[in-house]
Amino acid sequence: MLGTFSSVKQYLKFDITRVVIDNIVFKLHYRWTFVLLLVATLLITSRQYIGEHIQCISDNVVAPVINTFCFFTPTFTVVRHLNNTALDSGSVFQPGIGPYNRNEDKIKRHAYYQWVPFVLFGQALCFYAPHAIWKYWEGGRIKALVYGLRMVGLTKYLNSDSLRIGKLNIPSMAEVEDRVINIRRTMIDRMRLNQSWGAHLVTAEMLNLLNLCCQIYLTHRFLGRQFLTLGIKVLRERWVDKMDALDIVFPKVTKCTFFKYGAAGSLQEHDTLCVMALNIMNEKIYTILWFWYAFLFTITVLGLIWRLLTLFFYKNVTFTRLSLYWAKPGKLDGSDLKAVIEKCNFSNWMFLFFLRTNLSEFLFEKVVYHLASEFPNSPIHDNDINDYKAREREAAGGSSGKYPLLERLDTVDAPLLHHRAAVGAGTAPVQTPIDGATLPV
């Protein structure tokens, strides 16, 4: 079984170096729904789980011939035999199976099973399409800025050389400082030039909802207009009646009529009974899809409501604090944050949000601080990290402990804090792990 699904396992891997450019709602579309539909396609096309897709009974026709004919030609059930009364009375032994008059009885044809794997695979591609479009619009900007900055807590052991272990890259302290300056410069440039980043993201999220609605409607048409209420009927009828919605939409036994010429040249009609093993899997797949689509629709609408809130309240400092904390927990300086978001439009704010998602608390705090120092209305900063931490320590107001900020910051800043604390206390110089040199008091 693992060998059968090996083609989709790559989409389920957890990659610590992966750069986040979307939210959980987006991932439910292009990752989880995409994988779910691919797995369903593999199940339908794998005979090892359900055996032969169709087996038909006929007295005078060779089995391979009648099986192939009835699989490629739509089978049918008789509508007047699709009722629980006939099943309870013993008039019919299977829903829709019984004697019928070709000229009078209405029949229900079933041809969808020939197209199920193609439809499922096509739907999987449709759910991936908005993500592919968004990646093209995003252009790798976030990745270019933050890639390799996930493990900055270990950079205190590196001075000027970065360390690469497999796919994991640990940047040096000098590289981190350069990257922070580069992020600041890029953000300043974006505030002047690029105003469409956020609009493209909102468009891609709306495409997710539009695609989901289209796929629900197409599935409804594909299953003979029986899909929209399928899940509700299953919950209501599955364990109550002998025949439920699944028996009507996915019949296990159907009829097939085969014509051939006899030895004397007369036309012979063969009424054939077919066992649809394929529908055992189809009914499970589409029942799961009904509940998944209902869940996905709810989450997608809630996600768009959240996006609408960000569009209206992104200038609010409290809302921004909560949003950035939700993106990744951590404390931010209120005055610096206010100075930055006052200069941001919605696209800049969204770009800042995804920077926060991919950066550690300390690095993002430095980015916000440096950005705030660029704006003329903000307090005058000298961009010196020790002065910045000294101002933060004074704002903390009498924290206990020898190094009061060590609990609040990433360990990448620990050498600076040790040096600062030692100088403030008038103690001996501290040996730093940055270059092995002793900093003067």
Side-chain angles (χ1 to χ4, degrees), residues 153-167:
L154 300 177
T155 59
K156 67 177 183 178
Y157 302 107
L158 305 172
N159 181 24
S160 57
D161 297 324
S162 60
L163 177 64
R164 187 172 185 84
I165 305 175
K167 293 183 178 181

Side-chain angles (χ1 to χ4, degrees), residues 47 73 137 174 187 214 288 308 416:
R47 293 176 181 265
T73 304
W137 282 340
M187 279 294 298
C214 289
I288 293 173
L308 192 63
L416 297 173

